[in-house]
Amino acid sequence: MRTAALWRCLAPVLPAALPPSRGLCGRQSRGGGAVAAARKITENAKKSLASLKRENPRLEPTLAIIQAHNDHLIQEINQKFAEEVGLRVIHICLPEGSSKDEIVDEILRLNEDPNVQGLALDLPESLYSSKVLNAVKPEKDVDGLSDANLGRLVRGDAYDCLVPPTACAVMELLEDLGGKTVLLVGAGGATGAALQCMLQREGAATLSCWWKAPQLQTKLHHADVVVVGSTKPDDVPLSWIKPGTTIISCSRDLLSEKHNRGQENNHAAENTVGSLAIAMRMQNMVKNMERWIRSQQHRKWDLRCLKLQPLSPVPSDIEISRAQSPKAVDVLAKEIGLLTDEIEIYGQTKAKVRLSLLERLKDQPDGKYVLVAGITPTPLGEGKSTVTIGLVQALTAHLNINSFACLRQPSQGPTFGVKGGAAGGGYAQVIPMEEFNLHLTGDIHAITAANNLLAAAIDARILHENTQSDKALYNRLVPVVNGVRGFSAIQLARLRRLGINKTDPETLTEDEISKFVRLDIDPSTITWQRVVDTNDRFLRKITVGQANTEKGFVRQAQFDIAVASEIMAILALTTSLQDMKERLGKMVVANDKKGEPVTAEDLGVTGALAVLMKDAIKPTLMQTLEGTPVFVHAGPFANIAHGNSSVLADKIALKLVGEKGFVVTEAGFGADIGMEKFFNIKCRASGLVPSVVVLVATVRALKMHGGGPNVTAGAPLKKEYTEENLQLVADGCCNLQKQIQITQLFGVPVVVALNVFKTDSPAEIDLVCKIAKQSGAFDAVPCNHWSAGGRGAVKLAQAVEKAANQKNSFKYLYSLELPIVEKIRIIAQKVYGAQDIELSPAAQSQVDRYTRQGFGNLPICMAKTHLSLSHQPERKGVPTGFILPISDVRASIGAGFIYPLVGTMSTMPGLPTRPCFYDIDLDPVTEQVKGLF
């Protein structure tokens, strides 16, 4: 609406024109000052908002107004002012007589609506209770009536508060208040309190009373200014007010003006704030948009780190975790710049982070990207997770550098099997460690549900196709519902893939119906297995379909551990909800009898899988022992999957830390396994370039690689590992040197982190650091974070910071255009040190099939033992001259890689003789978990 037209529309409800004096002294004034002020404020708000929209083209500021009366005039005026300024207004019209609880429910709903940036209330006076006003989120409180906003106003924090529009309008109409007496009549509550505060700041003496007060006549006679907050009773004559007194009316019926203003006493001048207050409301909304836009930008962290008091000897991991009191996760989120509508809180210490943050911070430069990898692992453990946590604790808690750790969610298999948890250890942990290690926010359960739904769909489809005619299948797949027959969206997509461009089910020919209903899955080619998140060796080979109801459809199958599911790999590599949905649909589960791939999309299950995974795609926020932030997301094994946490967690963290911050993520097992896949698979999917690699080693693990005796879990260590033995260390450093060389293949600087144990001698430590530097490491640093927390990794953090500023010539190991076999050979020879590879006939057949099906340009994800550079776990150090056997080749098309199996690699671990669960227990009184490590 044009400006002139707007003011013509408002003319019937605005007072007559005032001269430019703002109506403070002129006896004939009837509110023209309010009109002029409202017009000027509206124009200024319009210009400010237009400027904001130019800078933020997709901005659509929306003000929601909750109304619980039938006065449509107020609604109309709000709408017209908003349109003039350029705001979108939505009115929520509740019935007259709505209760406070009903209004609060509506407020809470709008508080959580990300499309609403401002919230105002137009209610009967009786409903303006503290409960209602404080239900409005302070950041959406356009009327400035919540306690939080009023508190800021009283404290003088004008930059961070919004002044109630009515109070603001009154102040706009008054000037030169020093020494004057202002009487507020019938103006209580939040608006009255705001007015008194503002008037006193301007030097006025303020009095307040109600219309029935005994001293009303006296107070009216002595007042220089009277502010009327509610309708004047008829038994209060205007003659009680001395001539020349300025009267400001801000009663709630101000627009309909049920009383005759000032007609009885032409010695009094009365001004109405009606239109001006609404203009002020719109101005507040524009100011709120400015604050909202600032809140969307990257903020400097205001992180309160937690103090550590390390004990000696170091207590158990769970005792250390319990001794620290973590911050509430919403507090942590605010400290690192997350908005309240960007987190979904799970309990006190965990929260999901919404992907909308990536859009908000899309223009924010990324921080530095650090990968923690390790030497070839041994049963003694190298401590990559501990180094990851220690490093971020050092960077943030001790060097005041923003940093984020990005870790994988641990599988229940190792937690109850042999390895235990994966929260770090000692004084470098994620807390609470029992929540980290058990269930977390249910992502692995979601993956299990989605994976097994697809497995069930495969067998059910084969059964139904084997036992029904084309017509019967078609009638069940495309049923008549309420007299109407129609294809679902996913069925229409299948028709298009088949080249059938029809949308009416009644128009398909018999041949088209047959093509549509028959997937013709060849059971011998099914590669999709059921999963469970438990080490269960007896599920490595099973038979399904033995019940009579399955009509003789029996086949051999198997279970994999849940984290080996392709859905887990997809979760770790996806970049958005849409990308995840597309990847889920592309998953190849089998071939048909013509040798063509059958996908999850063909089975019609893509949408259902996406629904099951819609929450799992959001990373989980936790914290370290020193209160620094951690993302926990995705958990694929590195020996049977790609072994890295999620691309999304890394991307979000890189935005949150800012340009000078660090994101530290961990790759599973040795550098030859997890790091190689990080570079060749994860970095291709994310487009991110790593700044530095931290390579973790221990003296005792190097001794094993140097020929030290075998180690049995739980048995005392032999003297070779507890006494100084420089020769054994020197011999074992060949594995460290090889892993440094592997890192250099990718052109990224490497810093060696030597995890120090109390049995390590100074000479052994110095020897490892010397050899590492001579072998091309940028630096090699002993670390004591396990016993000292972040303080014990400060030198490592400083070395990483320097290395991250070095020239980076990152490159991939191979081109995707190379044939599948050639890519496998490059990894085997350049990374593992193999002489060559040997494919079994079955593996070669699969390679040929995948190449023919158009999957030859995918990266390679080797499934190989993590205990050796070779395929033989017992061969430590740096084996040479071996031929790497490829027993089978599978394809994870949704995840986007080819999956060769080396030797006799199992995708389902088993339980040992004495699993960890013997030591895990629950105190029924305190509900505390015992025995986790």
Side-chain angles (χ1 to χ4, degrees), residues 261-288:
R261 301 182 315 274
Q263 299 302 312
E264 303 169 27
N265 184 357
N266 59 12
H267 295 293
E270 182 174 357
N271 301 299
T272 303
V273 302
S275 62
L276 183 54
I278 294 176
M280 290 289 186
R281 171 182 276 177
M282 301 307 157
Q283 176 180 263
N284 272 1
M285 180 62 188
V286 175
K287 287 181 180 177
N288 207 45

PDB file of all heavy atoms in Angstrom, residues 261-288:
ATOM      1  N   ARG A 261     -12.415  12.472  24.315  1.00  0.00           N
ATOM      2  CA  ARG A 261     -11.155  12.998  24.801  1.00  0.00           C
ATOM      3  C   ARG A 261     -11.170  14.522  24.812  1.00  0.00           C
ATOM      4  O   ARG A 261     -11.304  15.162  23.773  1.00  0.00           O
ATOM      5  CB  ARG A 261      -9.996  12.529  23.915  1.00  0.00           C
ATOM      6  CG  ARG A 261      -9.839  11.045  23.822  1.00  0.00           C
ATOM      7  CD  ARG A 261      -8.644  10.713  22.960  1.00  0.00           C
ATOM      8  NE  ARG A 261      -8.618  11.504  21.755  1.00  0.00           N
ATOM      9  CZ  ARG A 261      -9.253  11.178  20.642  1.00  0.00           C
ATOM     10  NH1 ARG A 261      -9.980  10.087  20.596  1.00  0.00           N
ATOM     11  NH2 ARG A 261      -9.176  11.954  19.587  1.00  0.00           N
ATOM     12  N   GLY A 262     -10.990  15.096  26.018  1.00  0.00           N
ATOM     13  CA  GLY A 262     -10.675  16.509  26.127  1.00  0.00           C
ATOM     14  C   GLY A 262     -11.778  17.468  25.740  1.00  0.00           C
ATOM     15  O   GLY A 262     -11.549  18.658  25.695  1.00  0.00           O
ATOM     16  N   GLN A 263     -12.968  16.950  25.413  1.00  0.00           N
ATOM     17  CA  GLN A 263     -14.008  17.862  24.965  1.00  0.00           C
ATOM     18  C   GLN A 263     -14.560  18.696  26.114  1.00  0.00           C
ATOM     19  O   GLN A 263     -15.122  19.753  25.903  1.00  0.00           O
ATOM     20  CB  GLN A 263     -15.139  17.070  24.304  1.00  0.00           C
ATOM     21  CG  GLN A 263     -14.703  16.289  23.077  1.00  0.00           C
ATOM     22  CD  GLN A 263     -14.090  17.193  22.018  1.00  0.00           C
ATOM     23  OE1 GLN A 263     -14.654  18.231  21.676  1.00  0.00           O
ATOM     24  NE2 GLN A 263     -12.927  16.814  21.511  1.00  0.00           N
ATOM     25  N   GLU A 264     -14.404  18.154  27.374  1.00  0.00           N
ATOM     26  CA  GLU A 264     -15.007  18.860  28.500  1.00  0.00           C
ATOM     27  C   GLU A 264     -14.128  19.994  29.001  1.00  0.00           C
ATOM     28  O   GLU A 264     -14.558  20.827  29.752  1.00  0.00           O
ATOM     29  CB  GLU A 264     -15.252  17.885  29.657  1.00  0.00           C
ATOM     30  CG  GLU A 264     -16.132  16.707  29.267  1.00  0.00           C
ATOM     31  CD  GLU A 264     -16.115  15.644  30.350  1.00  0.00           C
ATOM     32  OE1 GLU A 264     -15.883  15.987  31.518  1.00  0.00           O
ATOM     33  OE2 GLU A 264     -16.322  14.466  30.026  1.00  0.00           O
ATOM     34  N   ASN A 265     -12.875  20.029  28.688  1.00  0.00           N
ATOM     35  CA  ASN A 265     -11.972  21.012  29.289  1.00  0.00           C
ATOM     36  C   ASN A 265     -10.923  21.403  28.265  1.00  0.00           C
ATOM     37  O   ASN A 265      -9.987  20.670  28.046  1.00  0.00           O
ATOM     38  CB  ASN A 265     -11.321  20.406  30.535  1.00  0.00           C
ATOM     39  CG  ASN A 265     -10.429  21.436  31.251  1.00  0.00           C
ATOM     40  OD1 ASN A 265     -10.279  22.556  30.785  1.00  0.00           O
ATOM     41  ND2 ASN A 265      -9.874  21.010  32.372  1.00  0.00           N
ATOM     42  N   ASN A 266     -11.162  22.542  27.654  1.00  0.00           N
ATOM     43  CA  ASN A 266     -10.206  22.931  26.626  1.00  0.00           C
ATOM     44  C   ASN A 266      -8.923  23.499  27.196  1.00  0.00           C
ATOM     45  O   ASN A 266      -8.108  24.030  26.459  1.00  0.00           O
ATOM     46  CB  ASN A 266     -10.841  23.921  25.636  1.00  0.00           C
ATOM     47  CG  ASN A 266     -11.330  25.181  26.340  1.00  0.00           C
ATOM     48  OD1 ASN A 266     -11.015  25.429  27.501  1.00  0.00           O
ATOM     49  ND2 ASN A 266     -12.145  25.959  25.618  1.00  0.00           N
ATOM     50  N   HIS A 267      -8.788  23.415  28.534  1.00  0.00           N
ATOM     51  CA  HIS A 267      -7.504  23.781  29.132  1.00  0.00           C
ATOM     52  C   HIS A 267      -6.538  22.610  29.140  1.00  0.00           C
ATOM     53  O   HIS A 267      -5.396  22.753  29.506  1.00  0.00           O
ATOM     54  CB  HIS A 267      -7.700  24.273  30.580  1.00  0.00           C
ATOM     55  CG  HIS A 267      -8.481  25.537  30.625  1.00  0.00           C
ATOM     56  ND1 HIS A 267      -8.017  26.746  30.126  1.00  0.00           N
ATOM     57  CD2 HIS A 267      -9.730  25.784  31.114  1.00  0.00           C
ATOM     58  CE1 HIS A 267      -8.919  27.684  30.324  1.00  0.00           C
ATOM     59  NE2 HIS A 267      -9.980  27.131  30.910  1.00  0.00           N
ATOM     60  N   ALA A 268      -7.022  21.443  28.796  1.00  0.00           N
ATOM     61  CA  ALA A 268      -6.149  20.270  28.780  1.00  0.00           C
ATOM     62  C   ALA A 268      -5.923  19.819  27.342  1.00  0.00           C
ATOM     63  O   ALA A 268      -6.835  19.848  26.534  1.00  0.00           O
ATOM     64  CB  ALA A 268      -6.775  19.134  29.576  1.00  0.00           C
ATOM     65  N   ALA A 269      -4.697  19.425  27.046  1.00  0.00           N
ATOM     66  CA  ALA A 269      -4.364  18.932  25.706  1.00  0.00           C
ATOM     67  C   ALA A 269      -4.093  17.437  25.806  1.00  0.00           C
ATOM     68  O   ALA A 269      -3.281  16.998  26.617  1.00  0.00           O
ATOM     69  CB  ALA A 269      -3.137  19.650  25.175  1.00  0.00           C
ATOM     70  N   GLU A 270      -4.800  16.646  25.023  1.00  0.00           N
ATOM     71  CA  GLU A 270      -4.640  15.195  25.119  1.00  0.00           C
ATOM     72  C   GLU A 270      -4.098  14.630  23.815  1.00  0.00           C
ATOM     73  O   GLU A 270      -4.553  14.983  22.730  1.00  0.00           O
ATOM     74  CB  GLU A 270      -5.980  14.533  25.442  1.00  0.00           C
ATOM     75  CG  GLU A 270      -5.849  13.025  25.589  1.00  0.00           C
ATOM     76  CD  GLU A 270      -7.154  12.400  26.054  1.00  0.00           C
ATOM     77  OE1 GLU A 270      -8.115  13.136  26.317  1.00  0.00           O
ATOM     78  OE2 GLU A 270      -7.187  11.168  26.133  1.00  0.00           O
ATOM     79  N   ASN A 271      -3.101  13.737  23.914  1.00  0.00           N
ATOM     80  CA  ASN A 271      -2.516  13.059  22.765  1.00  0.00           C
ATOM     81  C   ASN A 271      -2.722  11.561  22.917  1.00  0.00           C
ATOM     82  O   ASN A 271      -2.621  11.023  24.017  1.00  0.00           O
ATOM     83  CB  ASN A 271      -1.010  13.346  22.674  1.00  0.00           C
ATOM     84  CG  ASN A 271      -0.732  14.829  22.556  1.00  0.00           C
ATOM     85  OD1 ASN A 271      -1.152  15.477  21.611  1.00  0.00           O
ATOM     86  ND2 ASN A 271      -0.041  15.375  23.555  1.00  0.00           N
ATOM     87  N   THR A 272      -3.011  10.878  21.815  1.00  0.00           N
ATOM     88  CA  THR A 272      -3.225   9.439  21.831  1.00  0.00           C
ATOM     89  C   THR A 272      -2.060   8.744  21.146  1.00  0.00           C
ATOM     90  O   THR A 272      -1.666   9.147  20.054  1.00  0.00           O
ATOM     91  CB  THR A 272      -4.530   9.082  21.120  1.00  0.00           C
ATOM     92  OG1 THR A 272      -5.595   9.785  21.768  1.00  0.00           O
ATOM     93  CG2 THR A 272      -4.800   7.594  21.181  1.00  0.00           C
ATOM     94  N   VAL A 273      -1.536   7.706  21.775  1.00  0.00           N
ATOM     95  CA  VAL A 273      -0.343   7.045  21.232  1.00  0.00           C
ATOM     96  C   VAL A 273      -0.681   5.908  20.283  1.00  0.00           C
ATOM     97  O   VAL A 273       0.213   5.226  19.793  1.00  0.00           O
ATOM     98  CB  VAL A 273       0.558   6.487  22.370  1.00  0.00           C
ATOM     99  CG1 VAL A 273       0.990   7.576  23.308  1.00  0.00           C
ATOM    100  CG2 VAL A 273      -0.152   5.362  23.109  1.00  0.00           C
ATOM    101  N   GLY A 274      -1.970   5.678  19.989  1.00  0.00           N
ATOM    102  CA  GLY A 274      -2.407   4.496  19.250  1.00  0.00           C
ATOM    103  C   GLY A 274      -1.568   4.132  18.053  1.00  0.00           C
ATOM    104  O   GLY A 274      -0.872   3.119  18.031  1.00  0.00           O
ATOM    105  N   SER A 275      -1.612   4.981  17.007  1.00  0.00           N
ATOM    106  CA  SER A 275      -0.869   4.665  15.783  1.00  0.00           C
ATOM    107  C   SER A 275       0.621   4.701  16.022  1.00  0.00           C
ATOM    108  O   SER A 275       1.385   3.920  15.440  1.00  0.00           O
ATOM    109  CB  SER A 275      -1.257   5.654  14.683  1.00  0.00           C
ATOM    110  OG  SER A 275      -0.902   6.973  15.073  1.00  0.00           O
ATOM    111  N   LEU A 276       1.066   5.609  16.887  1.00  0.00           N
ATOM    112  CA  LEU A 276       2.496   5.727  17.154  1.00  0.00           C
ATOM    113  C   LEU A 276       3.034   4.462  17.831  1.00  0.00           C
ATOM    114  O   LEU A 276       4.128   3.992  17.512  1.00  0.00           O
ATOM    115  CB  LEU A 276       2.753   6.954  18.039  1.00  0.00           C
ATOM    116  CG  LEU A 276       4.209   7.283  18.357  1.00  0.00           C
ATOM    117  CD1 LEU A 276       5.037   7.412  17.092  1.00  0.00           C
ATOM    118  CD2 LEU A 276       4.294   8.575  19.185  1.00  0.00           C
ATOM    119  N   ALA A 277       2.241   3.893  18.751  1.00  0.00           N
ATOM    120  CA  ALA A 277       2.679   2.662  19.420  1.00  0.00           C
ATOM    121  C   ALA A 277       2.804   1.521  18.421  1.00  0.00           C
ATOM    122  O   ALA A 277       3.735   0.697  18.494  1.00  0.00           O
ATOM    123  CB  ALA A 277       1.702   2.289  20.534  1.00  0.00           C
ATOM    124  N   ILE A 278       1.869   1.466  17.459  1.00  0.00           N
ATOM    125  CA  ILE A 278       1.962   0.401  16.454  1.00  0.00           C
ATOM    126  C   ILE A 278       3.179   0.611  15.561  1.00  0.00           C
ATOM    127  O   ILE A 278       3.885  -0.335  15.208  1.00  0.00           O
ATOM    128  CB  ILE A 278       0.657   0.340  15.624  1.00  0.00           C
ATOM    129  CG1 ILE A 278      -0.496  -0.090  16.541  1.00  0.00           C
ATOM    130  CG2 ILE A 278       0.801  -0.632  14.464  1.00  0.00           C
ATOM    131  CD1 ILE A 278      -1.855  -0.100  15.868  1.00  0.00           C
ATOM    132  N   ALA A 279       3.453   1.862  15.202  1.00  0.00           N
ATOM    133  CA  ALA A 279       4.663   2.163  14.423  1.00  0.00           C
ATOM    134  C   ALA A 279       5.915   1.749  15.205  1.00  0.00           C
ATOM    135  O   ALA A 279       6.869   1.203  14.639  1.00  0.00           O
ATOM    136  CB  ALA A 279       4.706   3.644  14.075  1.00  0.00           C
ATOM    137  N   MET A 280       5.882   2.037  16.513  1.00  0.00           N
ATOM    138  CA  MET A 280       7.016   1.643  17.354  1.00  0.00           C
ATOM    139  C   MET A 280       7.170   0.126  17.409  1.00  0.00           C
ATOM    140  O   MET A 280       8.284  -0.404  17.441  1.00  0.00           O
ATOM    141  CB  MET A 280       6.829   2.186  18.777  1.00  0.00           C
ATOM    142  CG  MET A 280       6.959   3.688  18.886  1.00  0.00           C
ATOM    143  SD  MET A 280       8.666   4.216  18.649  1.00  0.00           S
ATOM    144  CE  MET A 280       8.527   5.968  19.019  1.00  0.00           C
ATOM    145  N   ARG A 281       6.055  -0.579  17.413  1.00  0.00           N
ATOM    146  CA  ARG A 281       6.119  -2.047  17.393  1.00  0.00           C
ATOM    147  C   ARG A 281       6.828  -2.516  16.121  1.00  0.00           C
ATOM    148  O   ARG A 281       7.676  -3.408  16.173  1.00  0.00           O
ATOM    149  CB  ARG A 281       4.713  -2.628  17.473  1.00  0.00           C
ATOM    150  CG  ARG A 281       4.657  -4.133  17.245  1.00  0.00           C
ATOM    151  CD  ARG A 281       3.230  -4.655  17.291  1.00  0.00           C
ATOM    152  NE  ARG A 281       2.802  -4.901  18.662  1.00  0.00           N
ATOM    153  CZ  ARG A 281       1.577  -5.302  18.992  1.00  0.00           C
ATOM    154  NH1 ARG A 281       0.664  -5.493  18.038  1.00  0.00           N
ATOM    155  NH2 ARG A 281       1.257  -5.517  20.251  1.00  0.00           N
ATOM    156  N   MET A 282       6.486  -1.918  14.988  1.00  0.00           N
ATOM    157  CA  MET A 282       7.130  -2.311  13.731  1.00  0.00           C
ATOM    158  C   MET A 282       8.607  -1.927  13.736  1.00  0.00           C
ATOM    159  O   MET A 282       9.453  -2.654  13.209  1.00  0.00           O
ATOM    160  CB  MET A 282       6.411  -1.666  12.545  1.00  0.00           C
ATOM    161  CG  MET A 282       4.940  -2.034  12.451  1.00  0.00           C
ATOM    162  SD  MET A 282       4.662  -3.838  12.484  1.00  0.00           S
ATOM    163  CE  MET A 282       2.960  -3.933  13.048  1.00  0.00           C
ATOM    164  N   GLN A 283       8.913  -0.783  14.348  1.00  0.00           N
ATOM    165  CA  GLN A 283      10.318  -0.396  14.478  1.00  0.00           C
ATOM    166  C   GLN A 283      11.076  -1.401  15.330  1.00  0.00           C
ATOM    167  O   GLN A 283      12.205  -1.791  15.012  1.00  0.00           O
ATOM    168  CB  GLN A 283      10.415   1.002  15.106  1.00  0.00           C
ATOM    169  CG  GLN A 283      11.853   1.450  15.357  1.00  0.00           C
ATOM    170  CD  GLN A 283      11.910   2.831  15.963  1.00  0.00           C
ATOM    171  OE1 GLN A 283      12.098   3.811  15.268  1.00  0.00           O
ATOM    172  NE2 GLN A 283      11.732   2.923  17.275  1.00  0.00           N
ATOM    173  N   ASN A 284      10.447  -1.849  16.410  1.00  0.00           N
ATOM    174  CA  ASN A 284      11.060  -2.874  17.250  1.00  0.00           C
ATOM    175  C   ASN A 284      11.310  -4.156  16.468  1.00  0.00           C
ATOM    176  O   ASN A 284      12.319  -4.830  16.635  1.00  0.00           O
ATOM    177  CB  ASN A 284      10.171  -3.179  18.461  1.00  0.00           C
ATOM    178  CG  ASN A 284      10.446  -2.262  19.640  1.00  0.00           C
ATOM    179  OD1 ASN A 284      11.292  -1.367  19.550  1.00  0.00           O
ATOM    180  ND2 ASN A 284       9.743  -2.475  20.730  1.00  0.00           N
ATOM    181  N   MET A 285      10.347  -4.493  15.605  1.00  0.00           N
ATOM    182  CA  MET A 285      10.505  -5.701  14.801  1.00  0.00           C
ATOM    183  C   MET A 285      11.719  -5.578  13.872  1.00  0.00           C
ATOM    184  O   MET A 285      12.481  -6.543  13.699  1.00  0.00           O
ATOM    185  CB  MET A 285       9.221  -5.958  14.001  1.00  0.00           C
ATOM    186  CG  MET A 285       9.287  -7.197  13.126  1.00  0.00           C
ATOM    187  SD  MET A 285       9.517  -8.725  14.073  1.00  0.00           S
ATOM    188  CE  MET A 285       9.787  -9.891  12.737  1.00  0.00           C
ATOM    189  N   VAL A 286      11.903  -4.407  13.278  1.00  0.00           N
ATOM    190  CA  VAL A 286      13.069  -4.202  12.406  1.00  0.00           C
ATOM    191  C   VAL A 286      14.361  -4.275  13.225  1.00  0.00           C
ATOM    192  O   VAL A 286      15.344  -4.893  12.813  1.00  0.00           O
ATOM    193  CB  VAL A 286      12.959  -2.866  11.654  1.00  0.00           C
ATOM    194  CG1 VAL A 286      14.228  -2.594  10.846  1.00  0.00           C
ATOM    195  CG2 VAL A 286      11.749  -2.876  10.725  1.00  0.00           C
ATOM    196  N   LYS A 287      14.344  -3.660  14.408  1.00  0.00           N
ATOM    197  CA  LYS A 287      15.519  -3.766  15.293  1.00  0.00           C
ATOM    198  C   LYS A 287      15.790  -5.224  15.657  1.00  0.00           C
ATOM    199  O   LYS A 287      16.933  -5.665  15.717  1.00  0.00           O
ATOM    200  CB  LYS A 287      15.292  -2.954  16.576  1.00  0.00           C
ATOM    201  CG  LYS A 287      15.357  -1.455  16.397  1.00  0.00           C
ATOM    202  CD  LYS A 287      15.134  -0.767  17.736  1.00  0.00           C
ATOM    203  CE  LYS A 287      15.179   0.756  17.603  1.00  0.00           C
ATOM    204  NZ  LYS A 287      14.889   1.421  18.899  1.00  0.00           N
ATOM    205  N   ASN A 288      14.698  -5.954  15.895  1.00  0.00           N
ATOM    206  CA  ASN A 288      14.845  -7.369  16.237  1.00  0.00           C
ATOM    207  C   ASN A 288      15.441  -8.154  15.077  1.00  0.00           C
ATOM    208  O   ASN A 288      16.225  -9.088  15.270  1.00  0.00           O
ATOM    209  CB  ASN A 288      13.481  -7.952  16.625  1.00  0.00           C
ATOM    210  CG  ASN A 288      13.613  -9.121  17.576  1.00  0.00           C
ATOM    211  OD1 ASN A 288      14.379  -9.054  18.526  1.00  0.00           O
ATOM    212  ND2 ASN A 288      12.875 -10.180  17.323  1.00  0.00           N
TER     213      ASN A 288
END
